Amino acid sequence: MSEHSVRVRFAPAPSGWLHVGSVRTALFNWLWARHTGGTFIWRIEDTDADRATDASMQSMIEAMRWLGLDWDEGIEVGGPYGPYRQSARADLHRAVARRLADRGHLYHDDRSPDELNAWRQERRDADLPPIVKRDTVPDASEGTLRLALPTSGTTSVDDLVRGEVTWDWANESDPVLVRSNGAVTYPLANAVDDLAQGVSVVCRGEDLLSVTPRQRRLYELLLADDLLDDALAEAGLPARDPSWEAPSTFAHLSMVVGQDRKKLSKRHGSVSIQEFARRGFLPETLLNYIALLGWSPRDGRERMDRDEVVAAFDLTNVGASAAAFDTDKLTAFNGERIRDLSPDALAHRLVPHLDGTHLPDDDEGDPDPTFEPVVATPPTDEQMATLVALVPLVQERMQTLAEIADYAPPFFREVGIDDAAAAKVFRKAGAVEALEAGARVLADVDWTVEGIEEALRGLTDELGIGFGKVAQPIRVAVTGSNVSPPLFESLEIMDRAVVLLRLEAALPIARDIQAGTD
Ligand code: GLU
């Protein structure tokens, strides 16, 4: 693997969204390209027209951009060996298939899926392997076209993750390369495009390990006697670089599983990348965390920024066991990174969680459509100033950006008083007096944290109650909730007039509750 010639690709089928497993594949390819100074290609494998959607492709692009993964060649950005949407390369694939057929490598199989299933069952019943080889298929002059693979001997690869893997040709079924309607299938399109785009390293999920032998056989056939070069010329596509060989390096990444070592569940990571954004994870946290799924730097470091991961990443040092996705660890990681941001940078990261771009969770953990935006898009200068002032009060306690939606509303608009908080706090003896006295002393103190603190602490002596009994009713009256950022600092960033009005408005509520408890 010469350093300058690494060409890796991410080749997802565009159905559904990018999730942790597929992003890990994209990321490891990207990291290897960046680490080696190579090229990262993004090809979309949309030959399965029934499953591929544009919406899925757009959502994948958005997710990659959010994570900050760029690609040197591929969809949207283009490049010298395009097109990078597989469906736009159909002429090439057909030209290749025709040449393979002309050279006698393909044969027809006209059995229907039902007939094929019945045949497989018969084989099993007779204790024979249900492996499709040319000599088991009745002669036909139409139907699907299968590739005749070798019938004996073995083939091996030295996989970077799994070590040497050997397959017995006798156990490999001849794959269908062209459907009866003339459409070329993924195994052919994938091999053709990897060669035509000069891919040197194939890094993908271990679910694709089993297709490796037939792909390597195709590489051989396509490179023999200029078959692919002629087909490229016929299809009017760019010629290959003559120095390119077939992909020589394979890395099949283990699955990503949940903490229970089972398939990832929705609660544990099997969500779209956009969902991580909505839940308030920083892209740099996710990038750092996903890089550690199956790989770790030799010195054991965990917290790394992007450049450090690029510098340390080593595709030859990826573990073979399944990588467990740990949401708690990701969350703790995220909290640490939030604390590292400057207040100003954090304030800007919080805006999408306040302006309705990312909705907070409802009780079921789904986006809450009833959320009312707290700031404008873009926020006004005044809103931004409030947010920057609020950040130091919450930064230490936040694990995700989304938590800001719990704290911020009373700093920006009127909020009702939470019934449960009122019932709990206003029932206690001294609550009404605390609200009255609070309003009185706050009316003319110096509006600073120290001034506010001194005035409210002074009330404990005057009213003969503990500080909690003074502070809690005031907190509930002003923020609507019995949990809020530190009280004196919170009051300071609100307007005195707003605070006084809220204390006054809470009084009748507190009096009613007190009356009810008599
Ligand atoms: N398009 C294939 C898939 O999404 C991946 C092909 C590959 O990486 O070789 O499963």
Side-chain angles (χ1 to χ4, degrees), residues 131-171:
I131 292 169
V132 180
K133 290 288 191 189
R134 191 174 209 160
D135 62 1
T136 68
V137 178
D139 273 349
S141 55
E142 55 182 25
T144 60
L145 278 170
R146 289 186 186 270
L147 170 68
L149 291 174
T151 51
S152 61
T154 59
T155 180
S156 314
V157 290
D158 194 7
D159 189 277
L160 288 184
V161 181
R162 328 213 79 82
E164 176 153 320
V165 189
T166 300
W167 293 266
D168 216 327
W169 283 119
N171 295 333

mmCIF file of all heavy atoms in Angstrom, residues 131-171:
data_model
loop_
_atom_site.group_PDB
_atom_site.id
_atom_site.type_symbol
_atom_site.label_atom_id
_atom_site.label_comp_id
_atom_site.label_asym_id
_atom_site.label_seq_id
_atom_site.Cartn_x
_atom_site.Cartn_y
_atom_site.Cartn_z
ATOM 1 N N ILE A 131 -25.983 -25.338 -3.593
ATOM 2 C CA ILE A 131 -25.097 -24.348 -4.201
ATOM 3 C C ILE A 131 -25.282 -24.350 -5.711
ATOM 4 O O ILE A 131 -25.189 -25.403 -6.343
ATOM 5 C CB ILE A 131 -23.642 -24.652 -3.817
ATOM 6 C CG1 ILE A 131 -23.524 -24.392 -2.317
ATOM 7 C CG2 ILE A 131 -22.665 -23.787 -4.605
ATOM 8 C CD1 ILE A 131 -22.302 -24.851 -1.701
ATOM 9 N N VAL A 132 -25.569 -23.156 -6.243
ATOM 10 C CA VAL A 132 -25.829 -23.070 -7.683
ATOM 11 C C VAL A 132 -24.507 -23.044 -8.438
ATOM 12 O O VAL A 132 -23.706 -22.122 -8.264
ATOM 13 C CB VAL A 132 -26.639 -21.797 -8.016
ATOM 14 C CG1 VAL A 132 -26.897 -21.710 -9.522
ATOM 15 C CG2 VAL A 132 -27.952 -21.758 -7.248
ATOM 16 N N LYS A 133 -24.266 -24.068 -9.219
ATOM 17 C CA LYS A 133 -23.103 -24.111 -10.121
ATOM 18 C C LYS A 133 -23.628 -24.423 -11.509
ATOM 19 O O LYS A 133 -24.702 -25.016 -11.647
ATOM 20 C CB LYS A 133 -22.125 -25.220 -9.689
ATOM 21 C CG LYS A 133 -21.394 -24.933 -8.380
ATOM 22 C CD LYS A 133 -20.367 -23.846 -8.582
ATOM 23 C CE LYS A 133 -19.423 -23.700 -7.414
ATOM 24 N NZ LYS A 133 -18.571 -22.501 -7.545
ATOM 25 N N ARG A 134 -22.869 -24.047 -12.500
ATOM 26 C CA ARG A 134 -23.342 -24.211 -13.870
ATOM 27 C C ARG A 134 -23.875 -25.618 -14.158
ATOM 28 O O ARG A 134 -24.926 -25.771 -14.788
ATOM 29 C CB ARG A 134 -22.190 -23.895 -14.823
ATOM 30 C CG ARG A 134 -22.599 -23.776 -16.243
ATOM 31 C CD ARG A 134 -21.406 -23.306 -17.054
ATOM 32 N NE ARG A 134 -21.839 -22.545 -18.196
ATOM 33 C CZ ARG A 134 -21.080 -21.702 -18.870
ATOM 34 N NH1 ARG A 134 -19.834 -21.493 -18.509
ATOM 35 N NH2 ARG A 134 -21.541 -21.051 -19.900
ATOM 36 N N ASP A 135 -23.177 -26.623 -13.640
ATOM 37 C CA ASP A 135 -23.603 -27.986 -13.990
ATOM 38 C C ASP A 135 -24.865 -28.425 -13.246
ATOM 39 O O ASP A 135 -25.371 -29.512 -13.485
ATOM 40 C CB ASP A 135 -22.449 -28.980 -13.789
ATOM 41 C CG ASP A 135 -22.001 -29.037 -12.333
ATOM 42 O OD1 ASP A 135 -22.595 -28.322 -11.500
ATOM 43 O OD2 ASP A 135 -21.065 -29.799 -12.020
ATOM 44 N N THR A 136 -25.362 -27.591 -12.322
ATOM 45 C CA THR A 136 -26.623 -27.953 -11.647
ATOM 46 C C THR A 136 -27.808 -27.218 -12.275
ATOM 47 O O THR A 136 -28.939 -27.395 -11.853
ATOM 48 C CB THR A 136 -26.588 -27.581 -10.145
ATOM 49 O OG1 THR A 136 -26.566 -26.152 -10.033
ATOM 50 C CG2 THR A 136 -25.394 -28.181 -9.429
ATOM 51 N N VAL A 137 -27.545 -26.326 -13.239
ATOM 52 C CA VAL A 137 -28.620 -25.490 -13.783
ATOM 53 C C VAL A 137 -29.028 -26.012 -15.163
ATOM 54 O O VAL A 137 -28.162 -26.214 -16.027
ATOM 55 C CB VAL A 137 -28.143 -24.014 -13.892
ATOM 56 C CG1 VAL A 137 -29.231 -23.140 -14.512
ATOM 57 C CG2 VAL A 137 -27.750 -23.491 -12.518
ATOM 58 N N PRO A 138 -30.340 -26.228 -15.355
ATOM 59 C CA PRO A 138 -30.797 -26.704 -16.676
ATOM 60 C C PRO A 138 -30.441 -25.700 -17.760
ATOM 61 O O PRO A 138 -30.482 -24.491 -17.524
ATOM 62 C CB PRO A 138 -32.330 -26.791 -16.521
ATOM 63 C CG PRO A 138 -32.615 -26.657 -15.067
ATOM 64 C CD PRO A 138 -31.445 -26.010 -14.410
ATOM 65 N N ASP A 139 -30.101 -26.206 -18.937
ATOM 66 C CA ASP A 139 -29.755 -25.306 -20.051
ATOM 67 C C ASP A 139 -30.909 -24.362 -20.346
ATOM 68 O O ASP A 139 -32.063 -24.765 -20.298
ATOM 69 C CB ASP A 139 -29.481 -26.140 -21.321
ATOM 70 C CG ASP A 139 -28.025 -26.571 -21.356
ATOM 71 O OD1 ASP A 139 -27.249 -26.037 -20.529
ATOM 72 O OD2 ASP A 139 -27.688 -27.445 -22.180
ATOM 73 N N ALA A 140 -30.564 -23.131 -20.669
ATOM 74 C CA ALA A 140 -31.615 -22.155 -20.993
ATOM 75 C C ALA A 140 -31.011 -21.098 -21.893
ATOM 76 O O ALA A 140 -29.795 -20.899 -21.910
ATOM 77 C CB ALA A 140 -32.151 -21.518 -19.712
ATOM 78 N N SER A 141 -31.874 -20.401 -22.622
ATOM 79 C CA SER A 141 -31.354 -19.355 -23.502
ATOM 80 C C SER A 141 -31.895 -17.994 -23.098
ATOM 81 O O SER A 141 -31.734 -17.001 -23.784
ATOM 82 C CB SER A 141 -31.726 -19.649 -24.949
ATOM 83 O OG SER A 141 -33.124 -19.796 -25.012
ATOM 84 N N GLU A 142 -32.585 -17.961 -21.979
ATOM 85 C CA GLU A 142 -33.027 -16.661 -21.445
ATOM 86 C C GLU A 142 -33.094 -16.766 -19.927
ATOM 87 O O GLU A 142 -32.728 -17.782 -19.363
ATOM 88 C CB GLU A 142 -34.391 -16.292 -22.041
ATOM 89 C CG GLU A 142 -35.425 -17.365 -21.813
ATOM 90 C CD GLU A 142 -36.772 -17.031 -22.458
ATOM 91 O OE1 GLU A 142 -36.788 -16.254 -23.426
ATOM 92 O OE2 GLU A 142 -37.769 -17.546 -21.963
ATOM 93 N N GLY A 143 -33.576 -15.674 -19.277
ATOM 94 C CA GLY A 143 -33.623 -15.670 -17.811
ATOM 95 C C GLY A 143 -32.499 -14.811 -17.259
ATOM 96 O O GLY A 143 -31.951 -13.953 -17.958
ATOM 97 N N THR A 144 -32.156 -15.054 -16.013
ATOM 98 C CA THR A 144 -31.069 -14.276 -15.410
ATOM 99 C C THR A 144 -29.737 -14.758 -15.974
ATOM 100 O O THR A 144 -29.653 -15.862 -16.520
ATOM 101 C CB THR A 144 -31.032 -14.468 -13.880
ATOM 102 O OG1 THR A 144 -30.818 -15.856 -13.611
ATOM 103 C CG2 THR A 144 -32.333 -14.032 -13.221
ATOM 104 N N LEU A 145 -28.717 -13.899 -15.809
ATOM 105 C CA LEU A 145 -27.374 -14.319 -16.223
ATOM 106 C C LEU A 145 -26.523 -14.494 -14.972
ATOM 107 O O LEU A 145 -26.389 -13.565 -14.164
ATOM 108 C CB LEU A 145 -26.747 -13.262 -17.136
ATOM 109 C CG LEU A 145 -27.158 -13.314 -18.608
ATOM 110 C CD1 LEU A 145 -26.654 -12.080 -19.345
ATOM 111 C CD2 LEU A 145 -26.614 -14.588 -19.276
ATOM 112 N N ARG A 146 -25.983 -15.681 -14.844
ATOM 113 C CA ARG A 146 -25.114 -15.959 -13.702
ATOM 114 C C ARG A 146 -23.657 -15.992 -14.142
ATOM 115 O O ARG A 146 -23.358 -16.369 -15.269
ATOM 116 C CB ARG A 146 -25.449 -17.316 -13.080
ATOM 117 C CG ARG A 146 -26.768 -17.360 -12.352
ATOM 118 C CD ARG A 146 -26.942 -18.698 -11.637
ATOM 119 N NE ARG A 146 -28.254 -18.802 -11.056
ATOM 120 C CZ ARG A 146 -28.567 -18.403 -9.816
ATOM 121 N NH1 ARG A 146 -27.633 -17.897 -9.038
ATOM 122 N NH2 ARG A 146 -29.797 -18.538 -9.364
ATOM 123 N N LEU A 147 -22.793 -15.654 -13.192
ATOM 124 C CA LEU A 147 -21.357 -15.746 -13.436
ATOM 125 C C LEU A 147 -20.880 -17.143 -13.052
ATOM 126 O O LEU A 147 -21.133 -17.600 -11.930
ATOM 127 C CB LEU A 147 -20.619 -14.701 -12.578
ATOM 128 C CG LEU A 147 -19.094 -14.814 -12.524
ATOM 129 C CD1 LEU A 147 -18.486 -14.479 -13.894
ATOM 130 C CD2 LEU A 147 -18.522 -13.887 -11.450
ATOM 131 N N ALA A 148 -20.196 -17.808 -13.955
ATOM 132 C CA ALA A 148 -19.649 -19.125 -13.623
ATOM 133 C C ALA A 148 -18.362 -18.939 -12.821
ATOM 134 O O ALA A 148 -17.346 -18.504 -13.364
ATOM 135 C CB ALA A 148 -19.371 -19.903 -14.904
ATOM 136 N N LEU A 149 -18.441 -19.237 -11.536
ATOM 137 C CA LEU A 149 -17.245 -19.125 -10.687
ATOM 138 C C LEU A 149 -16.435 -20.407 -10.828
ATOM 139 O O LEU A 149 -16.964 -21.431 -11.290
ATOM 140 C CB LEU A 149 -17.676 -18.959 -9.221
ATOM 141 C CG LEU A 149 -18.360 -17.635 -8.844
ATOM 142 C CD1 LEU A 149 -18.844 -17.694 -7.393
ATOM 143 C CD2 LEU A 149 -17.384 -16.468 -9.029
ATOM 144 N N PRO A 150 -15.195 -20.396 -10.399
ATOM 145 C CA PRO A 150 -14.440 -21.657 -10.406
ATOM 146 C C PRO A 150 -15.182 -22.716 -9.593
ATOM 147 O O PRO A 150 -15.967 -22.379 -8.701
ATOM 148 C CB PRO A 150 -13.122 -21.281 -9.717
ATOM 149 C CG PRO A 150 -13.014 -19.794 -9.894
ATOM 150 C CD PRO A 150 -14.403 -19.271 -9.897
ATOM 151 N N THR A 151 -14.944 -23.977 -9.901
ATOM 152 C CA THR A 151 -15.672 -25.041 -9.204
ATOM 153 C C THR A 151 -14.810 -25.754 -8.169
ATOM 154 O O THR A 151 -15.310 -26.482 -7.331
ATOM 155 C CB THR A 151 -16.194 -26.079 -10.218
ATOM 156 O OG1 THR A 151 -15.093 -26.467 -11.054
ATOM 157 C CG2 THR A 151 -17.296 -25.493 -11.078
ATOM 158 N N SER A 152 -13.511 -25.531 -8.235
ATOM 159 C CA SER A 152 -12.662 -26.198 -7.240
ATOM 160 C C SER A 152 -11.517 -25.269 -6.858
ATOM 161 O O SER A 152 -11.337 -24.216 -7.467
ATOM 162 C CB SER A 152 -12.108 -27.501 -7.816
ATOM 163 O OG SER A 152 -11.320 -27.175 -8.943
ATOM 164 N N GLY A 153 -10.773 -25.681 -5.845
ATOM 165 C CA GLY A 153 -9.673 -24.851 -5.363
ATOM 166 C C GLY A 153 -10.177 -23.838 -4.340
ATOM 167 O O GLY A 153 -11.358 -23.862 -3.960
ATOM 168 N N THR A 154 -9.298 -22.960 -3.912
ATOM 169 C CA THR A 154 -9.667 -21.989 -2.875
ATOM 170 C C THR A 154 -9.209 -20.598 -3.285
ATOM 171 O O THR A 154 -8.426 -20.438 -4.210
ATOM 172 C CB THR A 154 -8.985 -22.324 -1.521
ATOM 173 O OG1 THR A 154 -7.573 -22.310 -1.725
ATOM 174 C CG2 THR A 154 -9.427 -23.662 -0.977
ATOM 175 N N THR A 155 -9.725 -19.627 -2.567
ATOM 176 C CA THR A 155 -9.253 -18.257 -2.734
ATOM 177 C C THR A 155 -9.156 -17.637 -1.337
ATOM 178 O O THR A 155 -9.971 -17.952 -0.471
ATOM 179 C CB THR A 155 -10.192 -17.441 -3.651
ATOM 180 O OG1 THR A 155 -9.670 -16.116 -3.773
ATOM 181 C CG2 THR A 155 -11.609 -17.352 -3.106
ATOM 182 N N SER A 156 -8.160 -16.796 -1.113
ATOM 183 C CA SER A 156 -7.979 -16.220 0.239
ATOM 184 C C SER A 156 -7.729 -14.728 0.153
ATOM 185 O O SER A 156 -7.188 -14.242 -0.829
ATOM 186 C CB SER A 156 -6.733 -16.782 0.929
ATOM 187 O OG SER A 156 -6.667 -18.153 0.801
ATOM 188 N N VAL A 157 -8.103 -14.029 1.201
ATOM 189 C CA VAL A 157 -7.637 -12.653 1.361
ATOM 190 C C VAL A 157 -7.042 -12.511 2.753
ATOM 191 O O VAL A 157 -7.432 -13.209 3.691
ATOM 192 C CB VAL A 157 -8.741 -11.566 1.248
ATOM 193 C CG1 VAL A 157 -9.261 -11.427 -0.146
ATOM 194 C CG2 VAL A 157 -9.841 -11.762 2.242
ATOM 195 N N ASP A 158 -6.116 -11.581 2.864
ATOM 196 C CA ASP A 158 -5.568 -11.266 4.169
ATOM 197 C C ASP A 158 -6.274 -9.989 4.619
ATOM 198 O O ASP A 158 -5.838 -8.894 4.306
ATOM 199 C CB ASP A 158 -4.061 -11.059 4.045
ATOM 200 C CG ASP A 158 -3.400 -11.071 5.413
ATOM 201 O OD1 ASP A 158 -4.109 -11.371 6.396
ATOM 202 O OD2 ASP A 158 -2.196 -10.774 5.489
ATOM 203 N N ASP A 159 -7.394 -10.169 5.310
ATOM 204 C CA ASP A 159 -8.220 -9.031 5.702
ATOM 205 C C ASP A 159 -7.549 -8.302 6.876
ATOM 206 O O ASP A 159 -7.058 -8.939 7.807
ATOM 207 C CB ASP A 159 -9.596 -9.568 6.114
ATOM 208 C CG ASP A 159 -10.605 -8.462 6.328
ATOM 209 O OD1 ASP A 159 -10.618 -7.879 7.422
ATOM 210 O OD2 ASP A 159 -11.372 -8.183 5.402
ATOM 211 N N LEU A 160 -7.542 -6.956 6.816
ATOM 212 C CA LEU A 160 -6.860 -6.201 7.881
ATOM 213 C C LEU A 160 -7.489 -6.440 9.244
ATOM 214 O O LEU A 160 -6.820 -6.355 10.261
ATOM 215 C CB LEU A 160 -6.919 -4.702 7.577
ATOM 216 C CG LEU A 160 -6.060 -4.174 6.438
ATOM 217 C CD1 LEU A 160 -6.184 -2.670 6.358
ATOM 218 C CD2 LEU A 160 -4.601 -4.575 6.641
ATOM 219 N N VAL A 161 -8.781 -6.705 9.263
ATOM 220 C CA VAL A 161 -9.455 -6.895 10.552
ATOM 221 C C VAL A 161 -9.524 -8.370 10.926
ATOM 222 O O VAL A 161 -9.300 -8.746 12.075
ATOM 223 C CB VAL A 161 -10.884 -6.305 10.500
ATOM 224 C CG1 VAL A 161 -11.591 -6.479 11.840
ATOM 225 C CG2 VAL A 161 -10.841 -4.823 10.108
ATOM 226 N N ARG A 162 -9.820 -9.216 9.973
ATOM 227 C CA ARG A 162 -10.109 -10.615 10.290
ATOM 228 C C ARG A 162 -8.942 -11.559 10.031
ATOM 229 O O ARG A 162 -9.038 -12.747 10.258
ATOM 230 C CB ARG A 162 -11.316 -11.100 9.478
ATOM 231 C CG ARG A 162 -12.339 -10.006 9.206
ATOM 232 C CD ARG A 162 -13.730 -10.504 9.162
ATOM 233 N NE ARG A 162 -14.252 -10.697 10.497
ATOM 234 C CZ ARG A 162 -14.761 -9.735 11.243
ATOM 235 N NH1 ARG A 162 -14.841 -8.517 10.815
ATOM 236 N NH2 ARG A 162 -15.194 -9.989 12.450
ATOM 237 N N GLY A 163 -7.838 -11.031 9.506
ATOM 238 C CA GLY A 163 -6.700 -11.908 9.209
ATOM 239 C C GLY A 163 -6.977 -12.672 7.923
ATOM 240 O O GLY A 163 -7.814 -12.275 7.115
ATOM 241 N N GLU A 164 -6.305 -13.816 7.777
ATOM 242 C CA GLU A 164 -6.479 -14.544 6.510
ATOM 243 C C GLU A 164 -7.821 -15.278 6.493
ATOM 244 O O GLU A 164 -8.162 -15.993 7.429
ATOM 245 C CB GLU A 164 -5.326 -15.539 6.325
ATOM 246 C CG GLU A 164 -5.546 -16.360 5.072
ATOM 247 C CD GLU A 164 -4.235 -16.858 4.461
ATOM 248 O OE1 GLU A 164 -3.259 -16.093 4.446
ATOM 249 O OE2 GLU A 164 -4.212 -18.014 4.011
ATOM 250 N N VAL A 165 -8.582 -15.061 5.445
ATOM 251 C CA VAL A 165 -9.865 -15.751 5.294
ATOM 252 C C VAL A 165 -9.798 -16.526 3.978
ATOM 253 O O VAL A 165 -9.378 -15.980 2.960
ATOM 254 C CB VAL A 165 -11.051 -14.756 5.224
ATOM 255 C CG1 VAL A 165 -12.387 -15.491 5.282
ATOM 256 C CG2 VAL A 165 -10.965 -13.720 6.340
ATOM 257 N N THR A 166 -10.199 -17.794 4.042
ATOM 258 C CA THR A 166 -10.108 -18.643 2.841
ATOM 259 C C THR A 166 -11.489 -19.193 2.496
ATOM 260 O O THR A 166 -12.253 -19.569 3.382
ATOM 261 C CB THR A 166 -9.140 -19.818 3.116
ATOM 262 O OG1 THR A 166 -7.862 -19.257 3.437
ATOM 263 C CG2 THR A 166 -9.007 -20.730 1.911
ATOM 264 N N TRP A 167 -11.811 -19.183 1.225
ATOM 265 C CA TRP A 167 -13.075 -19.739 0.756
ATOM 266 C C TRP A 167 -12.777 -20.870 -0.216
ATOM 267 O O TRP A 167 -11.829 -20.791 -0.993
ATOM 268 C CB TRP A 167 -13.900 -18.689 0.018
ATOM 269 C CG TRP A 167 -14.408 -17.548 0.845
ATOM 270 C CD1 TRP A 167 -15.626 -17.457 1.451
ATOM 271 C CD2 TRP A 167 -13.738 -16.307 1.115
ATOM 272 N NE1 TRP A 167 -15.753 -16.238 2.092
ATOM 273 C CE2 TRP A 167 -14.607 -15.515 1.904
ATOM 274 C CE3 TRP A 167 -12.487 -15.785 0.786
ATOM 275 C CZ2 TRP A 167 -14.266 -14.238 2.361
ATOM 276 C CZ3 TRP A 167 -12.143 -14.512 1.247
ATOM 277 C CH2 TRP A 167 -13.022 -13.763 2.027
ATOM 278 N N ASP A 168 -13.645 -21.864 -0.156
ATOM 279 C CA ASP A 168 -13.565 -22.993 -1.054
ATOM 280 C C ASP A 168 -14.492 -22.688 -2.223
ATOM 281 O O ASP A 168 -15.674 -22.449 -2.008
ATOM 282 C CB ASP A 168 -14.140 -24.195 -0.258
ATOM 283 C CG ASP A 168 -13.407 -25.432 -0.597
ATOM 284 O OD1 ASP A 168 -12.983 -25.524 -1.757
ATOM 285 O OD2 ASP A 168 -13.269 -26.294 0.309
ATOM 286 N N TRP A 169 -13.993 -22.669 -3.430
ATOM 287 C CA TRP A 169 -14.869 -22.312 -4.555
ATOM 288 C C TRP A 169 -16.067 -23.245 -4.663
ATOM 289 O O TRP A 169 -17.151 -22.836 -5.100
ATOM 290 C CB TRP A 169 -14.098 -22.303 -5.872
ATOM 291 C CG TRP A 169 -13.237 -21.088 -6.082
ATOM 292 C CD1 TRP A 169 -11.887 -21.065 -6.244
ATOM 293 C CD2 TRP A 169 -13.671 -19.714 -6.157
ATOM 294 N NE1 TRP A 169 -11.446 -19.764 -6.410
ATOM 295 C CE2 TRP A 169 -12.529 -18.913 -6.365
ATOM 296 C CE3 TRP A 169 -14.913 -19.085 -6.061
ATOM 297 C CZ2 TRP A 169 -12.579 -17.530 -6.492
ATOM 298 C CZ3 TRP A 169 -14.974 -17.699 -6.185
ATOM 299 C CH2 TRP A 169 -13.822 -16.927 -6.391
ATOM 300 N N ALA A 170 -15.872 -24.484 -4.268
ATOM 301 C CA ALA A 170 -16.986 -25.440 -4.391
ATOM 302 C C ALA A 170 -18.193 -25.000 -3.569
ATOM 303 O O ALA A 170 -19.326 -25.406 -3.832
ATOM 304 C CB ALA A 170 -16.519 -26.825 -3.956
ATOM 305 N N ASN A 171 -17.958 -24.154 -2.563
ATOM 306 C CA ASN A 171 -19.067 -23.719 -1.706
ATOM 307 C C ASN A 171 -19.683 -22.386 -2.135
ATOM 308 O O ASN A 171 -20.580 -21.868 -1.467
ATOM 309 C CB ASN A 171 -18.582 -23.543 -0.263
ATOM 310 C CG ASN A 171 -18.151 -24.850 0.342
ATOM 311 O OD1 ASN A 171 -18.656 -25.905 -0.067
ATOM 312 N ND2 ASN A 171 -17.220 -24.803 1.284
#
